[in-house]
Amino acid sequence: MSKADYQVQSLARGLEIIEMYDAEHRILSTHDFAERLGVSQSSIYRIVQTLIDKNYLRKVARNAYTIGPQVVSRGFSYLAGQNLVDVAAPHLQRLRDETSISCHLSVRDGLETLYIYRAQASQRLSVNIPLGTRLPCHTNAMGRILLQQLSDIELSAVYQTIQLDMYARPNPQTLPELKHLITTEKKQGFAFSRSDNATAIAVPITDYLGKIIAAINISGAEQIMDKQHQFEAAKTSLLNTAKAISCEAAG
């Protein structure tokens, strides 16, 4: 018996469909799937529907699909469990000790910011977000940094049914406003947000290709962060920390 005799054909094709996606191919059609697999479109209909049902694919238009949140979630969960937290933790602890301000590490799970590590400050006015907390990406600085992973087309696709104005200002109220904010923050190299008398500054963690894989922040009470010199000092320390984590994570 050859190795092929032990393969589950539909499973193999499902995995091959997921593997078709890369930086240059973010949205693919059933025609693309069929052509690359050398089969008819009707023969892969059930496979595509199963991948959609399991959230490994997301439908963005008629017969057009992008990678679903389950792929991102599983991938980032693996990174977090294997080495990302281990790499980032000592750097964030040093940053916390240097600034006396709480620091957090997060990844994107669908359209949510998922907090996977924190270096907690001991001050009475410190801001400490519990591990496992999920927040809508557009409502926080780390989330908008993580949304920079998506292209303009992908942002339009994933937010087309989201009612952004359900969240009060200063959160963006429309998709064009969100896109403009993300573009501005990408150019300046950091994002910041204010909520519940606290201010957070966030910057990206990148892999060896320069792609954003996570975000870190420094989050403190307004009494501390609203002072310009402290804000700038914290931002500089945060950027240096992100650079160190990115270099080490890239190996």
Side-chain angles (χ1 to χ4, degrees):
M1 263 189 168
S2 67
K3 289 183 179 180
D5 293 324
Y6 293 99
Q7 289 187 358
V8 178
Q9 193 69 16
S10 58
L11 175 59
R13 286 178 174 170
L15 293 172
E16 287 173 6
I17 286 173
I18 293 172
E19 290 170 354
M20 290 178 192
Y21 289 90
D22 56 30
E24 297 180 358
H25 303 90
R26 296 177 179 271
I27 297 178
L28 297 171
S29 66
T30 49
H31 174 75
D32 295 323
F33 300 149
E35 184 176 51
R36 296 195 196 183
L37 293 174
V39 298
S40 66
Q41 293 187 49
S42 59
S43 69
I44 61 170
Y45 176 78
R46 288 186 177 180
I47 298 173
V48 172
Q49 288 303 309
T50 300
L51 291 172
I52 293 172
D53 291 343
K54 295 295 184 181
N55 289 321
Y56 285 96
L57 287 184
R58 181 193 295 272
K59 189 171 184 178
V60 296
R62 180 179 174 83
N63 294 325
Y65 309 90
T66 189
I67 284 292
Q70 193 67 274
V71 175
V72 177
S73 177
R74 295 301 179 191
F76 280 135
S77 294
Y78 175 82
L79 283 174
Q82 292 296 308
N83 73 337
L84 187 55
V85 169
D86 292 338
V87 169
H91 293 281
L92 292 177
Q93 290 165 9
R94 282 193 291 271
L95 179 62
R96 182 266 321 275
D97 294 342
E98 176 187 337
T99 62
S100 298
I101 303 173
S102 296
C103 309
H104 303 86
L105 169 69
S106 72
V107 294
R108 182 172 65 87
D109 188 1
L111 296 181
E112 293 181 321
T113 307
L114 173 60
Y115 286 70
I116 62 174
Y117 180 78
R118 69 175 178 180
Q120 183 172 345
S122 59
Q123 279 76 6
R124 183 174 60 85
L125 295 176
S126 63
V127 176
N128 298 296
I129 308 298
L131 297 184
T133 294
R134 293 172 178 270
L135 299 174
C137 281
H138 73 282
T139 65
N140 58 92
M142 284 200 294
R144 293 196 302 275
I145 289 290
L146 294 167
L147 288 177
Q148 293 175 17
Q149 298 166 330
L150 303 179
S151 68
D152 187 76
I153 293 176
E154 289 171 319
L155 276 170
S156 296
V158 297
Y159 274 102
Q160 63 180 344
T161 60
I162 305 297
Q163 190 176 344
L164 297 179
D165 59 7
M166 289 177 59
Y167 302 87
R169 291 197 180 278
N171 299 307
Q173 301 293 289
T174 65
L175 182 55
E177 188 179 343
L178 174 61
K179 287 183 176 181
H180 177 73
L181 183 56
I182 291 172
T183 299
T184 300
E185 292 173 338
K186 187 174 183 177
K187 287 180 180 178
Q188 69 187 13
F190 69 94
F192 78 95
S193 58
R194 289 187 172 90
S195 62
D196 299 328
N197 300 315
T199 297
I201 314 170
V203 297
I205 301 298
T206 58
D207 64 12
Y208 69 99
L209 294 175
K211 296 180 180 178
I212 297 173
I213 59 171
I216 61 173
N217 82 356
I218 192 165
S219 184
E222 285 184 356
Q223 293 93 319
I224 300 171
M225 299 289 281
D226 275 2
K227 297 176 181 178
Q228 188 62 29
H229 68 284
Q230 288 182 301
F231 181 94
E232 292 298 329
K235 183 182 72 176
T236 299
S237 296
L238 183 65
L239 287 166
N240 290 337
T241 300
K243 185 180 298 184
I245 294 173
S246 296
C247 288
E248 189 172 340

